[in-house]
Amino acid sequence: AYHRVQDMFQVLTGDPKRLPLRFRRRTGTRPIESVVGEYLAGMTDAFCDTQYRYATDGSTGPLADW
């Protein structure tokens, strides 16, 4: 789990357009690391697993919002 969250943090801080819209909007006034941390912290284990697969499979679109 640690490595999945770490990988997703790297993907999302490196490519903020992958964040869902409501989180992308926050990046205008807050540090990207903080916004990505909030997004990841709010995930359930099952949702995180699904989003991890999507974030690391080469897709380029935003991840699902919750």
Side-chain angles (χ1 to χ4, degrees):
Y2 170 80
H3 293 290
R4 287 182 183 187
V5 172
Q6 187 177 38
D7 290 348
M8 286 192 52
F9 184 84
Q10 294 300 319
V11 166
L12 294 170
T13 56
D15 190 4
K17 69 179 181 279
R18 302 290 310 272
L19 284 166
L21 180 58
R22 70 186 182 126
F23 288 92
R24 284 194 313 263
R25 288 180 176 154
R26 296 178 190 176
T27 63
T29 58
R30 303 191 44 217
I32 185 64
E33 296 84 2
S34 175
V35 174
V36 171
E38 288 177 9
Y39 177 62
L40 295 174
M43 291 182 173
T44 64
D45 291 345
F47 185 75
C48 185
D49 289 344
T50 301
Q51 295 310 299
Y52 174 80
R53 285 189 296 275
Y54 185 57
T56 59
D57 72 356
S59 299
T60 58
L63 302 181
D65 202 357
W66 43 266

